[in-house]
């Protein structure tokens, strides 16, 4: 290529003119291919022998002749095919332009967008000043951050040191001595670690796939009963319920909301004489203060926004922040980093410098949510989700709840028989829509199998949602909401099981056994023991199965069901102002 200007100047000039791609069809001017790819699809393809290029002849002279007239024979074959109408270059269709290929590409793009919007964090957010993992949203610790940002410099420094010590005339270190690893820390360093005691030593075990594989392999070659081996998690945490960083696995809750909203008529206008109920913290997080605004201007803007509808009553509800909370893991993950802006006393004249940093500090959230509370609405519920249901019951009549959270939709559907006419407003701008909760419940009734009433289906949704993943309870790895929803509406036994989750604060043996059977079905096989299913799935794939693809063992599942039952029990008591809520200790949490 370097000699191209002198050896083949005409080709060089053609490349400079932009003639380095080939258009095979006149119908699609944008469908040009690279020259080498075109050669593969034309000349090389036409000249292939039945056995391929390699080894078609052992005669050197024959091979040389074949190479020299290769392109000419290719053109003859192509012209002959065109002559007998076996090939046409005029309107050669591109596979990428076929309707099925376009649909497949659009689905792939939608899946990527879904992952970026609902799973990954936004790396281009100007308010995020910390180094954050794209896939988990976890902030890097100072030592991990320093190693990642200085990796290039440290590598160059090690390279210079290597040259100075081993490649100079007065080398101080023998050239072939082992290299010392830099041992730079990355996000992998943040993986969950569980300490186990072996005799007098405490050994840390990281949540790593290799640990699972080694333990499974060890059990196989030590002639241990593998059915017994798979009754244990085979790791410090259950892979099906926890990610490598020790955080609860998440699922796309919005898929369930979208499924429930299908075929439901969207209301055109705001209901007259309705009560508006807002999630206060969601309003603050969605609000974008004007540049240079003071807290006084911010308060006026928020008040104007909240009172813009013709509501007869406006309720703003917020969370209660407790030191011991089942939402601590979720809140720590949502925080953008360890550094925020804390105010001891917020004055009207103070300027809002960084709104997201202010909201990232729990103390500021507590201060911002102080307001007058109606005596009969005093409640010990921690989450705004359940408090909004309580406010809707107190208001009676028509209510419009402003929330994007799927949890709120599930709660409203589950308590629809105890509430008035409720609507849920979601989206912004042109995507804003008002959905009737009773219409969703009616649509759900038409989907369920015979023997399941509308109220049973609505109440079962709360248990199903808690079991398959919410803000406080982990999801099953790679098991989405839609699959479990389809199982629920088709089987009255599963509906009754999900309806029983959360009725009491403790899980009965019958409820757990029925839930275990549901989980087995969720993983593709009908059975009654997740331990047996783990063994069967592992050996069905010859041991080549990812640990997170297996269901949790029975002991881990029992804790998971206890956590889901605890959360569902709180949800089922959302219409009570001050229910007797026990401590989460002993209900799946330590």
């Amino acid at each position: 290529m370097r000699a191209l200007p002198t050896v083949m100047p005409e080709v060089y000039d053609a490349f400079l003119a932009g003639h380095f791609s080939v258009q095979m069809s006149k119908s699609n001017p944008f469908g040009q291919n690279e020259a080498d790819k075109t050669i593969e699809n034309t000349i090389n393809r036409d000249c292939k022998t039945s056995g391929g290029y390699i080894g078609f002849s052992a005669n050197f002279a024959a091979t040389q002749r074949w190479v020299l007239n290769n392109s000419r024979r290719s053109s003859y074959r192509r012209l002959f095919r065109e002559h007998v109408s076996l090939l046409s270059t005029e309107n050669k269709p591109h596979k990428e332009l076929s309707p099925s290929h376009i649909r497949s590409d659009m689905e792939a793009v939608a899946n990527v967008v879904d992952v970026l919007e609902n799973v990954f964090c936004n790396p281009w957010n100007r308010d995020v000043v910390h180094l954050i993992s794209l896939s988990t949203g976890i902030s890097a610790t100072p030592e991990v951050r320093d190693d990642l940002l200085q990796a290039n410099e440290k590598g160059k420094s090690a390279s210079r040191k290597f040259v100075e010590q081993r490649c100079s005339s007065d080398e101080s270190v023998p050239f072939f001595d082992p290299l010392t690893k830099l041992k730079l820390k990355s996000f992998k360093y943040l993986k969950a670690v569980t300490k186990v005691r072996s005799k007098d030593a405490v050994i840390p075990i990281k949540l790593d796939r290799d640990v699972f594989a080694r333990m499974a392999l060890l059990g196989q070659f030590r002639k241990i009963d593998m059915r017994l081996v798979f009754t244990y998690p085979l790791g410090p945490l259950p892979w099906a319920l926890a990610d490598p960083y020790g955080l609860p696995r998440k699922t796309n809750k919005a898929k369930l909301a979208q499924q429930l909203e299908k075929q439901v008529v969207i209301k055109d206008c705001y209901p007259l004489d309705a009560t508006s109920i807002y999630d206060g913290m969601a309003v603050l997080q969605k609000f974008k203060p004007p540049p240079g605004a003071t807290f006084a201007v911010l308060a006026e803007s928020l008040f104007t926004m909240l009172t813009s509808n013709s509501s007869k009553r406006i309720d703003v509800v917020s969370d209660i922040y407790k030191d011991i909370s089942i939402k601590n893991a979720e809140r720590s993950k949502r925080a953008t980093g360890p550094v925020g802006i804390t105010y001891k006393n917020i004055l009207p004249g103070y300027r809002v410098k960084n709104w997201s940093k202010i909201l990232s500090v729990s103390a500021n959230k507590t201060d911002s949510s102080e307001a007058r509370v109606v005596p009969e609405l005093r409640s010990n519920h921690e989450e705004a989700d359940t408090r909004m249901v309580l406010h809707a019951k107190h208001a009676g009549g028509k209510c419009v709840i402003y929330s994007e959270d799927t949890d709120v939709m599930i709660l409203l559907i589950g308590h629809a028989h105890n509430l008035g006419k409720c609507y849920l407003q979601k989206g912004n701008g042109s995507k804003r829509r008002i959905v009737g909760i009773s219409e969703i419940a009616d649509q759900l009734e038409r989907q369920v199998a015979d023997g399941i009433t509308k109220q049973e289906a609505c109440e079962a949704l709360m248990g199903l949602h808690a079991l398959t993943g919410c803000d406080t309870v982990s999801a099953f790895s790679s098991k989405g909401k839609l699959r479990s929803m389809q199982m629920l509406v088709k089987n009255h036994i599963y509906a009754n099981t999900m309806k029983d989750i959360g009725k009491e604060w403790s899980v009965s043996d019958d409820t757990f056994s029925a839930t275990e059977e549901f989980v087995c079905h969720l993983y593709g096989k009908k059975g009654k023991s997740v331990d047996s299913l783990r063994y069967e799935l592992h050996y069905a794939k010859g041991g080549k199965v990812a640990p997170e693809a297996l269901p949790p063992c029975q002991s881990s599942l029992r804790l998971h069901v206890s956590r889901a039952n605890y959360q569902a029990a709180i949800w089922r008591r959302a219409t009570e102002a001050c229910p007797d809520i026990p401590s989460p200790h002993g209900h799946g949490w330590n």
Side-chain angles (χ1 to χ4, degrees), residues 151-166:
N152 189 30
E153 296 178 4
K154 290 183 178 181
K156 289 181 178 179
S157 175
S159 176
R160 288 193 297 268
K161 185 177 179 181
F162 176 86
V163 173
E164 292 172 359
Q165 292 181 346
R166 307 189 187 213

Side-chain angles (χ1 to χ4, degrees), residues 469-537:
C470 58
D471 287 347
T472 56
V473 183
S474 58
F476 296 101
S477 177
S478 302
K479 302 299 175 185
K481 295 281 186 180
L482 298 185
R483 163 71 174 159
S484 56
M485 179 68 183
Q486 292 169 358
M487 292 168 53
L488 174 71
V489 298
K490 293 179 180 179
N491 192 313
H492 71 279
I493 297 177
Y494 292 156
N496 290 330
T497 301
M498 296 300 109
K499 186 167 64 73
D500 290 339
I501 292 179
K503 276 192 173 181
E504 304 294 337
W505 291 105
S506 58
V507 182
S508 66
D509 292 338
D510 292 339
T511 300
F512 176 76
S513 298
T515 305
E516 185 176 10
E517 186 175 346
F518 175 85
V519 172
C520 289
H521 193 181
L522 183 63
Y523 276 83
K525 288 192 176 183
K526 291 186 178 181
K528 296 186 177 181
S529 172
V530 288
D531 289 340
S532 299
L533 182 59
R534 283 163 59 84
Y535 172 82
E536 292 171 7
L537 291 176

Side-chain angles (χ1 to χ4, degrees), residues 324-326 566 582-590:
I324 300 176
S325 171
I326 59 176
Y566 183 85
S583 170
H585 294 291
H587 293 276
W589 288 277
N590 295 327

Side-chain angles (χ1 to χ4, degrees), residues 72-316:
R72 180 158 298 187
R73 284 186 294 104
S74 171
S75 62
Y76 290 162
R77 289 185 180 182
R78 180 166 290 271
L79 290 172
F80 175 75
R81 290 179 183 176
E82 291 180 6
H83 181 70
V84 296
S85 300
L86 291 177
L87 181 67
S88 175
T89 58
E90 292 298 321
N91 294 302
K92 185 177 180 180
H94 289 265
K95 293 181 180 179
E96 292 82 359
L97 298 179
S98 64
S100 60
H101 207 295
I102 292 175
R103 285 195 301 269
S104 177
D105 289 344
M106 294 301 293
E107 290 176 1
V109 171
N111 290 335
V112 172
V113 172
D114 179 52
V115 170
L116 292 176
E117 291 182 347
N118 298 303
V119 180
F120 284 12
C121 64
N122 183 4
W124 295 279
N125 187 351
R126 295 181 179 179
D127 297 331
V128 178
V129 296
H130 303 281
L131 205 59
I132 295 178
S133 169
L134 280 176
S135 58
T136 63
I138 296 177
S139 297
T141 59
E143 51 186 355
V144 171
R145 178 197 62 208
D146 294 342
D147 279 352
L148 289 175
L149 295 179
Q150 299 172 13
N152 189 30
E153 296 178 4
K154 290 183 178 181
K156 289 181 178 179
S157 175
S159 176
R160 288 193 297 268
K161 185 177 179 181
F162 176 86
V163 173
E164 292 172 359
Q165 292 181 346
R166 307 189 187 213
C167 300
S168 59
S169 56
D170 53 343
E171 61 179 28
S172 58
V173 179
F175 184 84
F176 292 103
D177 273 12
L179 293 173
T180 303
K181 289 185 177 181
L182 294 180
K183 296 182 179 180
L184 300 181
K185 295 180 176 63
S186 64
F187 282 104
K188 187 177 180 180
Y189 173 76
L190 302 176
K191 286 186 177 180
V193 177
T194 298
K195 294 182 178 180
V196 296
R197 186 172 295 277
S198 175
K199 294 183 179 179
D200 296 331
V202 177
I203 306 172
I205 299 180
K206 283 192 175 182
L207 188 59
D208 198 327
R209 284 185 175 86
D210 293 340
V211 174
F212 180 92
R214 285 196 297 269
M215 295 181 75
L217 193 64
L218 185 65
Q220 184 176 357
F221 284 95
R222 291 289 181 90
K223 295 183 179 180
I224 303 174
D225 184 3
M226 291 303 295
R227 291 185 181 274
L228 178 63
V229 170
F230 280 97
T231 61
Y232 295 93
L234 299 183
L237 293 173
W239 272 99
L241 303 173
D243 65 14
Y245 299 92
L247 295 174
R249 288 199 181 270
K250 293 298 175 184
T251 186
N252 189 357
K253 299 188 298 182
K255 290 286 186 182
L256 179 58
Q258 294 167 6
Q259 179 67 22
L260 292 171
E261 288 182 38
K262 273 187 177 180
Q263 300 178 357
V264 175
V265 179
I266 306 299
K267 191 170 180 60
D268 297 331
C269 57
Y270 190 88
L272 296 175
D273 297 328
T275 299
S276 296
I277 303 175
Y278 292 89
D279 182 343
M281 191 49 58
V283 171
L284 293 177
Q285 289 173 341
K286 189 182 294 186
F287 184 73
K288 301 295 182 184
T294 62
F295 280 98
V297 173
L298 185 146
E300 291 177 2
S301 302
L302 283 171
F303 182 79
T304 302
M305 182 184 70
L306 294 175
T307 57
S308 59
N309 293 319
S310 56
S311 305
K312 66 175 183 179
R313 166 179 164 179
I314 298 174
D315 292 17
V316 181

Side-chain angles (χ1 to χ4, degrees), residues 441-442 444-461 485-499:
D442 293 339
L444 182 62
E445 183 183 18
R446 289 189 284 269
Q447 297 177 9
V448 297
D450 296 337
I452 306 175
T453 65
K454 179 171 72 173
Q455 184 173 337
E456 288 175 344
C458 292
E459 292 180 357
L461 269 182
M485 179 68 183
Q486 292 169 358
M487 292 168 53
L488 174 71
V489 298
K490 293 179 180 179
N491 192 313
H492 71 279
I493 297 177
Y494 292 156
N496 290 330
T497 301
M498 296 300 109
K499 186 167 64 73

Side-chain angles (χ1 to χ4, degrees), residues 317-350:
V317 188
S318 60
D319 290 347
I320 294 177
Y321 293 85
K322 299 179 179 180
D323 294 333
I324 300 176
S325 171
I326 59 176
K327 290 197 69 175
N328 283 343
E330 180 68 16
R331 285 169 180 161
S332 63
K333 183 178 179 180
R334 288 177 181 177
T336 57
V339 181
I341 299 176
T342 305
Y343 286 90
K344 289 186 178 180
N345 187 21
I346 298 177
L347 298 179
Y350 285 171

